[in-house]
Amino acid sequence: MEKDKSMNQLQTEVDQYISQFKEGYFSPLAMVARLSEELGELAREVNHYHGEKPKKSSEEESTIEEELGDLLFVVICLANSLDISLEDAHNRVMHKFNTRDKDRWTRIEGGDEDGSN
């Protein structure tokens, strides 16, 4: 499995996968519904491993990592279908956090201004 893929590479890889099917991307509304479904599955796994609700012996084995991967795939599909660069979106949100919210949280002593150590 290839490591250290850029967000652009992830978006391209997903697009190449989806492009091989006549159906293509689902509608944005259908993908938001799918995101909600996948988020529920992630919440269930987090609750099993870190919450008060242990997994039933009859339930399929799944991991938080798998569920995060499913969420990421659907987010990439949604972004691709709307021609949105997730790298650009990420850069904008990090700029927002580093400017608007720069004094919102208590910094760790010795940390850089940009939030890194």
Side-chain angles (χ1 to χ4, degrees):
M1 193 178 297
E2 191 177 330
K3 294 279 189 181
D4 298 329
K5 295 177 187 176
S6 70
M7 187 57 71
N8 185 42
Q9 288 171 314
L10 293 175
Q11 284 191 256
T12 299
E13 183 176 12
V14 169
D15 194 57
Q16 288 171 348
Y17 173 76
I18 295 294
S19 295
Q20 65 184 326
F21 304 108
K22 289 181 182 179
E23 294 81 2
Y25 291 106
F26 295 144
S27 72
L29 187 57
M31 283 190 273
V32 169
R34 176 94 188 276
L35 278 172
S36 296
E37 177 186 328
E38 295 297 349
L39 183 58
E41 291 174 14
L42 173 63
R44 185 175 185 82
E45 288 304 311
V46 170
N47 197 20
H48 287 321
Y49 291 100
H50 301 286
E52 290 73 39
K53 187 177 181 188
K55 191 175 286 242
K56 295 177 190 173
S57 60
S58 61
E59 287 184 275
E60 283 187 35
E61 194 60 36
S62 186
T63 65
I64 293 170
E65 180 181 20
E66 286 176 71
E67 300 305 338
L68 284 170
D70 288 346
L71 265 173
L72 179 60
F73 180 82
V74 179
V75 165
I76 291 172
C77 285
L78 180 59
N80 284 355
S81 75
L82 298 172
D83 199 28
I84 292 171
S85 162
L86 287 171
E87 184 175 339
D88 290 346
H90 170 78
N91 290 340
R92 280 194 292 279
V93 77
M94 289 309 299
H95 176 73
K96 176 177 66 176
F97 287 132
N98 285 316
T99 54
R100 185 193 73 187
D101 295 341
K102 68 182 176 86
D103 296 321
R104 186 173 187 177
W105 311 107
T106 306
R107 293 205 182 263
I108 296 171
E109 299 274 336
D112 294 337
E113 277 299 305
D114 67 358
S116 63
N117 285 321

